[in-house]
Amino acid sequence: MASLKQSLRKLGKNTQAVALRTTDRNLRLAVTGLAGAGKTAFITGLVNQLLHSGIAETSAQLPLWQVARDGRLYGVKRDMQPDLTIPSFNYDGAIKSLTTEPKSWPVSTRNISELRLAIKYRPAKGLLAKVTDSATLYLDIVDYPGEWLLDLPMLKQSFQQWSNTQLERKSVFERSMHFSAFSQALDSVDLASPADELKLQEIADLYQNVLQDCVSNHGFYYAQPGRLLLPGELDGTPVLALFPLINIDDEGVQSLEQSQSNSFYHTLKRRYKEYVSRVVKPFYQDYFAKFDRQLVLVDCFTPLNRGRAQFDDMKSAIHAVMESFHFGQSSLLKRLFSPKIDKLLFAASKVDHVTRDQQGNVLSLLTQLVHQSQQYAKFEGCEVETMAISAIKSTSHGMVKQDGREIEVVRGCELGQQQSVTLFPGEVPKSLPAADFWDKQGFEFINFAPATNQHIQRSNADFEHIRLDHVLQYLLGDKLK
């Protein structure tokens, strides 16, 4: 009887979810991006703006969001999330970080999380407008680590193919002070001999050090397996005792194929297969297949600061990730049985870190940066847009005189510093930089600390933003008519 009741409760929940999707009253928005793109800050700023919007509030903060501009938005509130096994997005903790002295940016995404908002509005068109004065769109915002995205290309690769792709990255790995130790440990192992668990873990730890160093200290992005950067619940498990064989040629591989099944070589092959089938594939199936809209945040400034190799690495990482997404025009039947992402937004984040006259350059650069991915998504029937935004504005703009002429500057507090700074961060290239560009670039894109805008009334949103209303109109506008 207990089992029957449990089955009926599960059926009821599934029926409710199906009903919401059938009537187009539920939208799942995925927010992602590579390391440092500002995913947590973006979601916090977006939710903050939404919770302070509606008829009871002023809508001056979101003038381009049509449902708010038309006075049809009754309000937005947080609701119980549908997925009880997924951690909740820590909105309250993020707000505390941003508004409590000393202010700091919210903790970066380290696991998947979710938050549901109920958006109540007055329909203006269609059947709903004829039968009701109010309707509710349930918006599920799903945040997940960009590092995990980088594993998606592994779905199409064998262990040897993956090892070969990592061999192509040897010049990147060699920048790390940990690479020599990893390479020597790998060379010291007879891969045809019986595997030793402690030795596998030792070499995997050395490889993990290389990846973390390349990402954290050298500004690279493309690191696999991504769970070695952010293990989540898999921390300490044997499936993460994994590393590529970057010192074996094809002839050597053929010889190792003849080794015993308990050899280092075959053990690594099995672990790679397990990692792909039990970590990467379920993540892809359980989450990506349920997304309706996808927002990809891109930090253009950090790789410009770092140099050509890091900028090219970011471009390659984005393209590899986007090839794995499931795009296509959506319909009610498709959303029920074969959901696809029908709208994709690439957004250059932290655009408040540059002067206003450079924001157009940022957008132009981003558009060219993701052009290849954009063409792929459009070919699959997905609507694609690019924007330059800031979910939480941390600077102010001004003009100063220099050598008898006025130049535009930004003002703000550098992260970790007390004093405000005023500077012209540099000119952002309008197009993908040529080889000689990097010899003469002179950027000073610094990390600014968050700043609560005291002139905004506390009954309204806590933060200023740049083009969040444009984001909302693009991603949600067609569902709120």
Side-chain angles (χ1 to χ4, degrees):
M1 179 64 73
S3 177
L4 176 60
K5 288 182 179 179
Q6 185 177 4
S7 298
L8 288 174
R9 282 197 298 270
K10 185 175 181 180
L11 178 62
K13 290 180 181 178
N14 289 340
T15 302
Q16 183 183 31
V18 169
L20 284 174
R21 294 186 71 80
T22 303
T23 56
D24 214 19
R25 296 296 90 210
N26 174 229
L27 189 71
R28 290 182 67 79
L29 169 64
V31 178
T32 193
L34 301 180
K39 297 178 292 295
T40 307
F42 169 83
I43 294 174
T44 303
L46 182 72
V47 172
N48 187 255
Q49 293 292 336
L50 287 172
L51 293 178
H52 290 87
S53 63
I55 293 176
E57 308 283 350
T58 65
S59 297
Q61 284 287 99
L62 302 169
L64 295 181
W65 195 24
Q66 188 173 351
V67 68
R69 185 177 68 242
D70 293 347
R72 296 187 295 108
L73 181 65
Y74 291 121
V76 181
K77 70 172 186 177
R78 293 163 70 178
D79 200 13
M80 300 290 287
Q81 69 182 62
D83 302 305
L84 302 184
T85 59
I86 297 178
S88 300
F89 180 81
N90 189 12
Y91 172 75
D92 296 316
I95 288 292
K96 184 176 181 180
S97 296
L98 290 162
T99 56
T100 303
E101 296 292 345
K103 300 183 185 71
S104 62
W105 293 109
V107 176
S108 299
T109 302
R110 302 194 65 82
N111 209 329
I112 191 164
S113 65
E114 185 180 62
L115 179 146
R116 168 170 279 194
L117 298 175
I119 304 174
K120 190 174 183 180
Y121 69 103
R122 175 170 54 82
K125 298 179 181 179
L127 180 61
L128 275 177
K130 297 178 181 178
V131 299
T132 183
D133 290 332
S134 67
T136 302
L137 175 70
Y138 291 93
L139 175 65
D140 298 324
I141 302 175
V142 182
D143 175 32
Y144 57 94
E147 288 79 358
W148 294 1
L149 282 176
L150 298 175
D151 287 342
L152 295 182
M154 297 168 72
L155 289 167
K156 300 181 290 185
Q157 296 174 328
S158 68
F159 176 61
Q160 187 55 37
Q161 288 172 329
W162 175 66
S163 291
N164 288 340
T165 62
Q166 301 313 297
L167 175 59
E168 294 171 2
R169 297 186 58 74
K170 188 175 180 181
S171 62
V172 172
F173 295 154
E174 288 175 337
R175 298 192 183 208
S176 170
M177 63 180 181
H178 302 288
F179 178 74
S180 178
F182 165 66
S183 181
Q184 290 173 15
L186 190 55
D187 287 338
S188 69
V189 174
D190 178 5
L191 294 170
S193 64
D196 177 83
E197 184 66 52
L198 292 178
K199 191 65 176 177
L200 283 168
Q201 188 63 60
E202 175 192 335
I203 301 175
D205 289 344
L206 293 172
Y207 179 61
Q208 182 182 43
N209 291 339
V210 173
L211 293 184
Q212 291 177 337
D213 189 41
C214 286
V215 172
S216 300
N217 299 321
H218 296 277
F220 289 93
Y221 297 88
Y222 211 151
Q224 294 175 330
R227 289 296 185 106
L228 284 184
L229 295 175
L230 289 175
E233 74 284 1
L234 297 176
D235 191 22
T237 59
V239 76
L240 293 190
L242 178 66
F243 48 86
L245 301 180
I246 60 173
N247 58 348
I248 307 295
D249 57 21
D250 290 340
E251 185 177 342
V253 169
Q254 292 302 317
S255 176
L256 288 170
E257 285 289 346
Q258 309 305 315
S259 63
Q260 296 294 319
S261 63
N262 65 342
S263 67
F264 276 96
Y265 174 74
H266 282 292
T267 301
L268 283 169
K269 278 188 67 176
R270 284 193 297 273
R271 289 196 176 178
Y272 176 84
K273 187 175 181 179
E274 283 285 291
Y275 183 82
V276 171
S277 64
R278 301 187 65 176
V279 179
V280 183
K281 193 172 183 178
F283 180 65
Y284 183 91
Q285 292 176 331
D286 294 346
Y287 301 111
F288 291 164
K290 299 177 183 178
F291 295 154
D292 301 304
R293 305 279 159 90
Q294 175 71 59
L295 185 146
V296 180
L297 292 169
V298 180
D299 172 15
C300 293
F301 306 131
T302 301
L304 282 174
N305 273 343
R306 293 283 191 174
R308 180 183 179 182
Q310 288 83 348
F311 188 87
D312 290 344
D313 194 56
M314 179 184 70
K315 181 181 177 183
S316 298
I318 289 174
H319 180 62
V321 165
M322 299 318 294
E323 282 186 324
S324 302
F325 277 94
H326 199 202
F327 294 112
Q329 292 180 332
S330 184
S331 68
L332 293 182
L333 288 177
K334 284 183 178 179
R335 295 182 75 227
L336 284 172
F337 303 111
S338 182
K340 291 185 178 182
I341 296 167
D342 59 5
K343 280 194 175 186
L344 168 64
L345 174 61
F346 288 102
S349 59
K350 309 176 187 178
V351 75
D352 62 309
H353 286 33
V354 298
T355 54
R356 286 171 295 190
D357 64 337
Q358 294 298 307
Q359 292 180 12
N361 289 14
V362 177
L363 180 59
S364 177
L365 177 63
L366 173 67
T367 302
Q368 293 197 33
L369 181 64
V370 302
H371 176 73
Q372 193 173 5
S373 300
Q374 200 170 15
Q375 291 298 105
Y376 170 79
K378 285 183 176 180
F379 180 80
E380 295 295 324
C382 179
E383 188 177 340
V384 186
E385 183 63 88
T386 55
M387 298 180 191
I389 69 167
S390 179
I392 298 176
K393 191 178 176 186
S394 58
T395 66
S396 60
H397 294 275
M399 304 294 293
V400 299
K401 282 191 175 182
Q402 187 178 62
D403 299 328
R405 63 188 183 93
E406 287 195 333
I407 62 169
E408 193 167 1
V409 294
V410 293
R411 296 188 180 96
C413 286
E414 188 172 358
L415 196 62
Q417 304 296 322
Q418 298 294 324
Q419 297 297 320
S420 176
V421 295
T422 299
L423 76 160
F424 174 70
E427 215 170 292
V428 180
K430 292 182 180 179
S431 57
L432 296 178
D436 61 349
F437 168 85
W438 301 101
D439 298 328
K440 56 186 178 182
Q441 65 91 357
F443 303 124
E444 195 178 355
F445 297 130
I446 68 172
N447 289 321
F448 287 100
T452 301
N453 297 285
Q454 302 297 334
H455 65 277
I456 296 180
Q457 297 179 2
R458 297 302 297 181
S459 62
N460 210 333
D462 292 294
F463 315 104
E464 286 187 308
H465 67 88
I466 298 175
R467 301 186 189 93
L468 272 188
D469 47 348
H470 194 183
V471 170
L472 286 166
Q473 181 58 28
Y474 176 72
L475 293 174
L476 307 180
D478 60 324
K479 303 298 182 183
L480 299 170
K481 292 183 178 179

